[in-house]
Amino acid sequence: MDSTTLTELDYYRVRDTAAGYCESDEGKKKLLAAEPSDDFPYIEQLKDLSREWQTYNLSTRAPALSSWPEIAPLFSILRIEGAALTLEQAHALLLFCTAAKKASSSVLAAVTELSLIHLPETVSKIPDLSAAAAELARIVTPDGEMKDL
């Protein structure tokens, strides 16, 4: 689709509004960079996931998502053997690990009650980050303070 059509359809306003609901800066950036797709099976998959997230969010269950600071740049640091992270970076990773576990656990616990089908398939692909979270929690508190070692 060309820019004029997207403007007429109010695509950019809708995209910007949806991005305002993102829990992470990285999610917001990814959504703001998204362009429409004409891949109909992919669109249907996203619609199914969206409906199930909406079902979860409208239920009486506690929120499944938590926010975290940007972590993507940290992966290039972590690839280097012997590299060190700042306290702020370690805290960001801890928040991410905690948020990933919370989202996964929350959705999987609601499968039967909310009749979720597609969302559990997606969250089950999230790797188990509990070992990383445990290591990070040894040195940094949930508030981002350095623990006495």
Side-chain angles (χ1 to χ4, degrees):
M1 280 188 227
D2 65 33
S3 177
T4 305
T5 303
L6 294 175
T7 302
E8 284 293 317
L9 293 173
D10 219 7
Y11 173 77
Y12 299 108
R13 184 191 61 77
V14 171
R15 182 185 64 185
D16 291 350
T17 300
Y21 292 101
C22 290
E23 288 289 338
S24 72
D25 290 337
E26 290 163 313
K28 186 174 189 171
K29 285 179 187 176
K30 186 171 182 175
L31 184 56
L32 289 173
E35 293 296 328
S37 174
D38 60 1
D39 180 347
F40 292 109
Y42 177 67
I43 293 168
E44 288 303 314
Q45 177 187 10
L46 292 179
K47 285 168 52 178
D48 288 340
L49 288 171
S50 177
R51 278 191 283 277
E52 290 189 5
W53 266 122
Q54 184 174 16
T55 298
Y56 184 94
N57 289 330
L58 294 175
S59 75
T60 57
R61 293 185 155 272
L65 299 176
S66 306
S67 62
W68 63 88
E70 187 173 15
I71 61 159
L74 304 182
F75 293 115
S76 60
I77 296 170
L78 292 172
R79 287 190 185 109
I80 301 168
E81 188 173 338
L85 297 176
T86 66
L87 179 61
E88 189 176 89
Q89 291 168 330
H91 182 240
L93 280 177
L94 176 60
L95 292 175
F96 173 75
C97 292
T98 304
K101 178 66 175 171
K102 178 183 171 190
S104 180
S105 298
S106 297
V107 168
L108 295 176
V111 169
T112 305
E113 176 188 338
L114 302 178
S115 302
L116 304 176
I117 299 167
H118 306 285
L119 196 52
E121 292 173 10
T122 300
V123 299
S124 68
K125 295 175 186 173
I126 298 172
D128 181 6
L129 301 173
S130 55
E135 288 298 315
L136 290 163
R138 289 179 51 220
I139 58 171
V140 64
T141 68
D143 295 328
E145 299 294 322
M146 175 75 79
K147 286 188 175 181
D148 291 331
L149 300 176

